Amino acid sequence: MPRGRGRTSRVRRQKRSRNSDSRGVSESYKSEFIALKKWLKDRNFEDTNLIPARFSGTGRGLMSKKPMREGQMIIALPESCLLTTDTVIRSSLGVYITKWKPPPSPLLALCTFLVSEKHAGDQSAWKPYLDILPTSYACPVCMEPEVVGLLPKPLKAKAEEQRTSVQEFFASSRDFFSSLQPLFAEAVDTVFSCSSLLWAWCTVHTRAVYLRARQHQCLSSEPDTCALAPYLDLLNHSPNVQVKAAFNKETGCYEIRTASSCRKHEEVFICYGPYDNHRLLLQYGFVSPCNPHACVYVSREMLVKYLPSTDKQMNKKILILKDHGFMENLTFGWDGPSWRLLTALKLLCLEAEKFTCWKKVLLGEVISDTNEKASLDIAQQICCCLIEETTAVLQKVSQMKDEKVSLVDQLTLVATLWAEELKILQVSAKTLDSLRAALA
């Protein structure tokens, strides 16, 4: 038998193939990471478990140097490495923050510090950390309006709210920035530009870890729970892992322990939370393929689209659903239509003589085979319509990628989101076929 053609060789090749996506290329030799490691060492942190690496599926992340077992500590970052509002108040900004009325928010304090330190360049004590931060972000707030317009309607609405919130945040902070002029040779308008503040806002929102609330009299009463965690924030998200993460007062470290094992030279993940892809994109700027928490939202307009217009009790039914919280979070998921969606449809499909049974419907009781079948038929029509709409948007995005070369990265992210939703809808359609066949 020719060398390398036997069963053992095939097994080795299959294992290499399975591991190819999870294995990364070390970046620990790069100057920015050498500087960061030295900076961290000076703050009493040395890592023996992880090294920075680049992965084909997730980009830059952290790779295990040795096998990690369930329950093992992934990382323990000392408080001296964390960037919090305490850090800001101890800096040259502290005097100005203390004097300013009304008190700035914790978020404004962190954003101001980031912009100020970024502007300081080589003079900043935080330069090694700032140098490894992204220079731009992919959150919808950073997308061009024409790209935001391609997002699913519920996400588009939240993205527009987010953009308005950031604009108001910037506008309301200008007077505070003006008070900082003595700290800068340049005009503060050039230092604290809209783009620099957006960068700082995204840095905090996409990379901060949660700490137990602190209280500073010189800051507003808004929750002060965010901390930036250099090096630790290189850990990427996976919905398929479980970790325990918290600040340990006894050790003075922010600690993360894994609840699953990890092989040598694989990417080490943490889980940001059981979030669907809409929230991941809105808050962190990415989409998680095959996310078990992903879903497709059904709008009110779509919910009632295929219901008979002759139903005189329709307005009453919708009011009942509203009053009992059944007009929100109606979804299709990997296991088909959600219980909430089917329950809403069952109530909407109640015949006139069965209308008094609406409380039983909300409790999950079966009213009749006719009602069950009608609700599944409507769900199937909604699902098919959403498949058509999703396919049309994907075609439009594909065309725009050819026409708008400068927006390719943003459009690719949007296409990934829609492609995941299409998969969910296709799975849901098959599930509905099975449910309907069982009632036939």
Side-chain angles (χ1 to χ4, degrees):
M1 180 182 291
R3 187 178 180 183
R5 298 286 182 88
R7 179 180 178 277
T8 304
S9 177
R10 285 199 305 276
V11 171
R12 284 198 299 266
R13 287 199 301 273
Q14 288 166 359
K15 285 184 177 180
R16 284 196 296 269
S17 177
R18 285 196 299 269
N19 294 338
S20 60
D21 288 339
S22 58
R23 285 177 176 268
V25 178
S26 173
E27 293 196 340
S28 58
Y29 66 91
K30 290 192 172 182
S31 58
E32 62 264 34
F33 284 115
I34 293 173
L36 180 64
K37 282 292 188 86
K38 182 180 184 304
W39 182 84
L40 291 167
K41 186 176 181 181
D42 291 342
R43 292 170 179 251
N44 301 315
F45 173 73
E46 282 193 84
D47 184 40
T48 58
N49 293 328
L50 309 169
I51 54 173
R54 185 162 292 277
F55 301 87
S56 60
T58 55
R60 182 174 280 180
L62 291 177
M63 179 170 67
S64 59
K65 294 169 69 174
K66 53 190 177 184
M68 303 184 76
R69 64 186 183 278
E70 183 178 335
Q72 184 175 341
M73 185 84 71
I74 295 177
I75 192 168
L77 194 68
E79 189 173 12
S80 57
C81 298
L82 299 177
L83 197 169
T84 66
T85 51
D86 292 337
T87 312
V88 181
I89 292 168
R90 288 195 301 265
S91 74
S92 58
L93 294 170
V95 175
Y96 296 86
I97 289 173
T98 304
K99 291 179 179 178
W100 189 254
K101 302 298 178 188
S105 68
L107 175 61
L108 178 57
L110 289 171
C111 288
T112 303
F113 183 83
L114 284 170
V115 173
S116 177
E117 293 298 305
K118 187 77 168 175
H119 178 74
D122 292 343
Q123 304 305 311
S124 172
W126 289 80
K127 183 180 186 299
Y129 174 53
L130 296 172
D131 282 349
I132 62 117
L133 289 174
T135 55
S136 61
Y137 291 91
C139 303
V141 71
C142 301
M143 291 179 176
E144 292 298 318
E146 58 189 310
V147 179
V148 173
L150 295 168
L151 295 172
K153 286 181 181 179
L155 181 56
K156 177 188 173 185
K158 290 180 180 178
E160 289 171 345
E161 288 175 12
Q162 188 184 65
R163 185 182 295 271
T164 300
S165 175
V166 173
Q167 289 171 345
E168 291 174 352
F169 175 64
F170 178 68
S172 64
S173 306
R174 283 180 172 171
D175 290 343
F176 171 66
F177 295 146
S178 295
S179 74
L180 304 177
Q181 185 61 70
L183 293 174
F184 302 94
E186 303 86 345
V188 288
D189 286 348
T190 61
V191 177
F192 295 96
S193 63
C194 187
S195 59
S196 64
L197 191 64
L198 178 60
W199 169 82
W201 186 93
C202 288
T203 297
V204 174
H205 277 77
T206 62
R207 308 183 77 80
V209 297
Y210 175 84
L211 293 183
R212 184 167 295 178
R214 301 173 298 286
Q215 188 64 51
H216 294 285
Q217 290 185 348
C218 59
L219 296 177
S220 71
S221 59
E222 294 176 30
D224 186 1
T225 56
C226 288
L228 290 170
Y231 195 68
L232 180 151
D233 62 7
L234 289 169
L235 288 163
N236 287 318
H237 165 81
S238 170
N240 302 312
V241 302
Q242 291 183 332
V243 297
K244 292 182 178 180
F247 184 79
N248 187 330
K249 283 187 176 181
E250 293 183 4
T251 62
C253 294
Y254 190 90
E255 300 176 350
I256 299 181
R257 290 183 180 274
T258 178
S260 53
S261 60
C262 180
R263 288 178 290 188
K264 183 179 180 180
H265 294 157
E266 280 191 341
E267 181 169 13
V268 178
F269 290 100
I270 59 174
C271 182
Y272 299 170
Y275 303 146
D276 63 34
N277 280 334
H278 284 207
R279 180 164 180 180
L280 289 176
L281 182 54
L282 185 71
Q283 188 167 337
Y284 300 104
F286 67 88
V287 172
S288 181
C290 301
N291 180 0
H293 308 294
C295 59
V296 179
Y297 289 89
V298 177
S299 66
R300 173 182 169 172
E301 294 74 22
M302 183 60 71
L303 184 69
V304 301
K305 182 174 181 177
Y306 296 102
L307 294 169
S309 57
T310 55
D311 188 345
K312 295 178 181 179
Q313 295 170 321
M314 186 57 64
N315 289 335
K316 288 183 180 179
K317 292 175 178 178
I318 291 174
L319 187 59
I320 289 170
L321 290 175
K322 275 186 178 179
D323 290 344
H324 291 80
F326 274 83
M327 289 299 287
E328 303 292 333
N329 295 324
L330 307 178
T331 61
F332 289 99
W334 293 108
D335 54 355
S338 67
W339 180 83
R340 290 174 59 82
L341 175 57
L342 287 179
T343 300
L345 288 173
K346 287 174 186 179
L347 193 148
L348 291 170
C349 290
L350 278 175
E351 297 167 285
E353 62 272 18
K354 299 284 188 180
F355 180 62
T356 55
C357 299
W358 64 265
K359 287 185 179 180
K360 292 183 178 181
V361 173
L362 295 184
L363 291 172
E365 293 187 30
V366 175
I367 304 304
S368 67
D369 287 347
T370 301
N371 180 257
E372 293 286 308
K373 184 178 185 304
S375 61
L376 290 175
D377 288 345
I378 297 292
Q380 184 73 294
Q381 287 178 285
I382 292 173
C383 187
C384 290
C385 181
L386 290 173
I387 287 174
E388 290 178 9
E389 289 185 357
T390 302
T391 303
V393 174
L394 281 168
Q395 290 173 346
K396 184 176 181 180
V397 173
S398 178
Q399 183 179 348
M400 285 183 67
K401 286 168 72 174
D402 293 332
E403 299 170 353
K404 307 274 187 177
V405 179
S406 61
L407 300 178
V408 165
D409 289 345
Q410 294 181 17
L411 291 168
T412 299
L413 187 56
V414 172
T416 302
L417 176 65
W418 281 106
E420 287 297 304
E421 298 209 349
L422 181 59
K423 292 175 188 175
I424 291 170
L425 291 168
Q426 290 169 337
V427 169
S428 292
K430 291 181 180 178
T431 300
L432 282 165
D433 284 339
S434 300
L435 292 172
R436 292 168 72 212
L439 283 175

